[in-house]
Amino acid sequence: MTGIDSKRRGALLRLALALVLFKIFVLLVALSSPVLLPGFFSENYYRGNFHWPPDEAPHALTTLKTWDAQHYLYLATEGYKPGRMPIAFFPLYPWLIRALATLPGVGSQAAALLLANGLSIAAVLLLFDLLRRRHPGTEEWTTVFLLAFPGALFFHFPYTESLFLFLAVAVLAAIERDRWGVAAGAAFLLALTRPNGVLIAGLLAYELLVRVRRKQRPTPMMLLCVGAPVLGLGAYFLFMQAATGDAMAGIEMQRAFHAGRSVTNLFDVGGMLRNLLDVEVIHGIQHSLLDRLAFLLVLATLVPLWRIDKAFFWFALPMALLGPLSGSLVSYTRFAAVIFPTSLVLARALGGQDRVSYRYLTAAVFFVVQIILLLRHATNHWAG
């Protein structure tokens, strides 16, 4: 047992070192974007979009805090105030930024970057270890596809993707070991991270049903765990009521972000199909071919995922479909980055010695697109 544990620790340590080096490379590319693409930084997008502090001129570190990152930095320093655009974003990440920024010498931007990169490293290590137990032999290429996926660039910047991935994997890892209290805590926090965090309830209900079918009597902690995401969403509404005077203020403010999502669209299948075919640009805020290709890729993996791992399926299904069914594919490439079961299906489908070239080609295509999006993101052009 000691030898096995030592081998496991060694593999995780090597992976952690590789992740740190990879992240240094990505951040250096972002910081070098003014040299790599002179004059490409979009002053118009910078001035035209929300940025914080409002009178701050673009500078070297602006490449590491574009688009949504500005909103999180505002919330971390100023909090939730009625009528302000950033209140559309959920509070857990800004709270964590504010807490870490209280340390001596750590400002809000440094805190946001440390959290995004530290949490994504922790998430990948946790997922790698989970896959070693659950799907041995797939962990290496699942990790490669996960990190190479175009939307994975947001694991390196002040966005919620890293936090969301960490908490989602933590839920699965905790349930795998029957630690329902830990799973409940992670699920509760997931619902405070992003609106779709509450969808983890589907996975939790499935896991409870599995145990009932095995004639295992549900414990109070299991039942609490299933309800934890709903409790987390309730806590969000209570917080918004206290902070802004309107529990729905954040949800209402999301209309300002051009996503066009609405629960009234959930049963409009024809509308979803028309939206899927509404392509005007290779990649942009709306009408993006890349976002639609990402959706089709995720969609194609759902059926094989049902056969491979039903728990992973019940995580992926609602995460994959909610945005498109509610009427929008805006930022789908970014949102799909946290749907890690897609990478597992690819790793299995492209496994075997006879498919080595396909594995490398797929990873290379993913990564080339990610680098293009990375350079766009760092120069304040739309990336997702």
Side-chain angles (χ1 to χ4, degrees):
M1 182 65 72
T2 303
I4 294 174
D5 289 343
S6 177
K7 184 177 180 180
R8 171 173 163 266
R9 284 195 298 271
L12 291 175
L13 283 172
R14 288 191 296 273
L15 177 57
L17 177 60
L19 289 170
V20 169
L21 294 175
F22 176 56
K23 284 181 171 295
I24 291 172
F25 166 75
V26 170
L27 294 175
L28 285 176
V29 170
L31 287 168
S32 303
S33 60
V35 177
L36 297 172
L37 298 170
F40 193 62
F41 183 87
S42 178
E43 186 89 17
N44 288 336
Y45 274 132
Y46 179 80
R47 298 294 180 189
N49 287 303
F50 181 91
H51 60 275
W52 187 259
D55 57 349
E56 183 179 55
H59 53 84
L61 294 181
T62 301
T63 57
L64 304 183
K65 59 167 188 175
T66 67
W67 296 90
D68 289 4
Q70 300 278 359
H71 295 275
Y72 291 118
L73 294 175
Y74 168 86
L75 292 171
T77 54
E78 300 298 311
Y80 285 72
K81 297 179 180 179
R84 298 308 304 267
M85 202 171 177
I87 67 171
F89 295 86
F90 273 42
L92 182 58
Y93 186 46
W95 290 345
L96 293 175
I97 294 171
R98 170 172 271 183
L100 187 58
T102 60
L103 297 177
V106 180
S108 58
Q109 184 176 356
L113 285 166
L114 285 170
L115 283 166
N117 287 282
L119 286 167
S120 57
I121 289 174
V124 172
L125 294 176
L126 196 59
L127 177 61
F128 189 88
D129 199 45
L130 178 65
L131 291 169
R132 281 173 68 95
R133 299 192 306 273
R134 202 171 180 111
H135 299 283
T138 66
E139 62 272 15
E140 292 184 359
W141 275 101
T142 299
T143 301
V144 170
F145 289 136
L146 175 70
L147 294 174
F149 186 78
L153 77 95
F154 293 97
F155 292 143
H156 313 291
F157 296 99
Y159 277 65
T160 55
E161 271 60 37
S162 295
L163 176 59
F164 193 93
L165 180 65
F166 172 74
L167 291 171
V169 177
V171 169
L172 275 158
I175 291 178
E176 175 84 3
R177 297 177 179 274
D178 275 325
R179 296 176 178 173
W180 289 84
V182 175
F188 179 88
L189 294 175
L190 201 59
L192 286 167
T193 303
R194 285 213 311 239
N196 61 343
V198 72
L199 299 178
I200 199 74
L203 163 66
L204 296 170
Y206 166 77
E207 289 288 351
L208 180 63
L209 181 60
V210 167
R211 282 150 181 80
V212 170
R213 286 177 174 174
R214 293 174 185 167
K215 310 301 182 183
Q216 182 178 349
R217 185 175 181 179
T219 65
M221 185 54 71
M222 289 179 181
L223 298 174
L224 175 63
C225 186
V226 173
V230 177
L231 294 175
L233 187 63
Y236 162 76
F237 286 125
L238 288 174
F239 166 73
M240 291 302 296
Q241 179 67 40
T244 69
D246 180 3
M248 297 297 293
I251 304 299
E252 292 294 329
M253 187 59 71
Q254 289 177 17
R255 295 179 181 176
F257 287 83
H258 310 293
R261 296 185 179 92
S262 172
V263 293
T264 60
N265 297 326
L266 289 177
F267 302 103
D268 185 7
V269 178
M272 187 196 77
L273 292 175
R274 288 191 296 273
N275 186 26
L276 184 62
L277 297 173
D278 184 17
V279 177
E280 297 181 6
V281 293
I282 294 176
H283 191 49
I285 297 176
Q286 299 187 75
H287 317 293
S288 165
L289 174 63
L290 182 59
D291 284 334
R292 283 150 180 81
L293 291 176
F295 172 62
L296 292 174
L297 172 63
V298 174
L299 195 66
T301 64
L302 292 177
V303 172
L305 185 61
W306 172 261
R307 297 193 298 266
I308 294 169
D309 192 315
K310 288 184 174 56
F312 281 19
F313 172 85
W314 285 113
F315 167 75
L317 180 69
M319 300 295 174
L321 296 182
L322 180 64
L325 287 176
S326 63
S328 176
L329 283 159
V330 172
S331 296
Y332 195 90
T333 304
R334 170 162 64 90
F335 295 150
V338 302
I339 308 177
F340 59 86
T342 298
S343 298
L344 170 63
V345 174
L346 288 175
R348 288 177 62 100
L350 300 177
Q353 288 300 314
D354 59 329
R355 298 177 182 176
V356 171
S357 58
Y358 294 106
R359 290 200 296 272
Y360 281 100
L361 177 62
T362 301
V365 170
F366 277 5
F367 191 59
V368 167
V369 177
Q370 183 182 144
I371 290 296
I372 293 171
L373 294 183
L374 167 65
L375 291 171
R376 287 180 59 82
H377 180 74
T379 53
N380 222 67
H381 292 265
W382 179 256

